[in-house]
Amino acid sequence: GCLYASVMRDGEVRDGEVALDPKCPSCEQPFPQSQADRDLYRMRRAEANDAAAILEIGTGCFMKEDYSSAFDYWTKAAKLGDIEAHYNLSSLYYEGKGVEKDESKFVYHCEEAAIGGHPLARRNLGAHENKNQNDERAYKHFVIAASLGDDESLKLLKEGCESGKVKKDDFAAVVRAHKAAVDATKSPQREFASVALQQLERDKLLFKRPECSHLGDCPICLLPMDLDNEKAAQLACCSKLLCDGCMMAKKISEEERSVNDGKCPFCRKPCPKNEEEMKKNIKKRVDANDPFALREKGLRCYEKGDHDTALELWTKAANLGDIDAHFRLGKAYSLGEGVEKDVNKQTYYYEIAAIGGHPSARFNLGVHDLNSGNIDRGVKHIMISASHGHDLSIQTIKQIYPLGYVTKEEFAVALRAHQAAVDATKSIQREASAEAQRSKTWPYVFHPDKGSHITHPRNF
């Protein structure tokens, strides 16, 4: 809370990153400006026997799975009186990382940390005593840990109370002590900092450009899927989405061999022969909780005006990780169809979809921000969606460029990124399929040597 207050007073937030004041609010020394500078500062402090710096270096070694070095640094920090170092050493002895497992040393370092006020070490001592059936000592440790604000210890005491091992009055006293400990850590600055930092982390994730759109690649040709839903086909047998180019290539291959195996080009199971078989396959996929099938069934219900069932199916698909289902839910809350309009829920679902690479969801977020006066955020969203080949986004950038919302450099970058994304979806097979659809010869395929104007995808 104090650090964030210092940032808000003397620093600023730029592009989702905190730009700190150049000096530490405590020691007034300049902040290190790079990771190399931070490492150098830390080593200097460690050489001066700063226990906290030594602990940090040991933690860095532990994260790199260099447990022996972590043990050495933490041992030195513990000798200098660092409580956290004692707790970390207890974990090493318990798990046998960097040292041999040693129960007595595990207990020793846990006790040192517990005496110093470490609630997790105290809880571990309680668990150790409980394992050895020393219930009285175990619950004493849990009571102290809970009174320091440890949630897990409070849960263990609740279980003990329910089983009759802890008196109700004693448990009630612990609950009050736990609440007092938690409340004592709160302040308006900390609450505000917590929310603000969570938003910063969320924005960092939100404005990170996904590698591909939510549609991903065609599972056969491995090229990015076109954002136009008319240029893909959903397979009722396996719920896979294939590009029209691969579907056309399959038909050409079958004509060349004068064979129609009637099998799915992906899963190789027999394709449904009629509408009834197709409905049975879709029902089977829905019953198996296939998120794609659930979402598509929801779309059919929505088109029939059954918004309640559609929302139920989309919610289920979204919980199973379907990105487009999140987009559909966001749109429902935006339009108020089947539910009351709710900007917060609209934004929530759109953001999840945008993080998952859904260009339309990100475009809608951008438009909402532009209309709300959050120009910088709106432009960021639309720049990202344009880079996935989203036509509405690039058209919007062309419209706001003369208004000065986008710089000349950003405009050029957006144009190049949009064109690159569109070009990445092209192939001989897909172009042939598009031409066949324009001339209304799809799904019938004619060979070039019979006078067809369709390019034969011989390289498939």
Side-chain angles (χ1 to χ4, degrees), residues 13-65:
V13 178
R14 294 194 297 265
D15 299 330
E17 297 287 344
V18 179
L20 291 173
D21 179 65
K23 291 185 179 181
C24 169
S26 175
C27 66
E28 293 295 324
Q29 294 296 314
F31 274 119
Q33 299 300 309
S34 66
Q35 186 60 48
D37 288 343
R38 284 191 284 273
D39 292 340
L40 180 60
Y41 274 47
R42 193 175 292 120
M43 288 302 299
R44 286 177 179 172
R45 284 165 40 217
E47 289 170 0
N49 283 336
D50 184 317
I54 297 170
L55 175 74
E56 286 182 38
I57 295 172
T59 302
C61 294
F62 182 85
M63 297 301 291
K64 296 175 184 177
E65 298 185 2

Side-chain angles (χ1 to χ4, degrees), residues 71 77 137 162 167 175-176 194 234 241 256 330 417 419 437:
F71 172 78
R137 289 176 63 87
E162 291 171 351
K167 295 179 180 179
V175 170
R176 290 193 295 271
S194 176
Q234 179 193 357
L241 196 66
E256 284 182 336
Q419 190 59 50
Q437 291 183 65

Side-chain angles (χ1 to χ4, degrees), residues 25 53 65 73 109 114 117 160 233 274 278 284 311 362 384 395 445:
E65 298 185 2
Y73 281 111
H109 286 290
N274 51 51
M278 186 175 72
K284 189 183 295 184
L311 288 169
R362 191 174 288 281
I384 294 174
Q395 291 169 15
V445 180

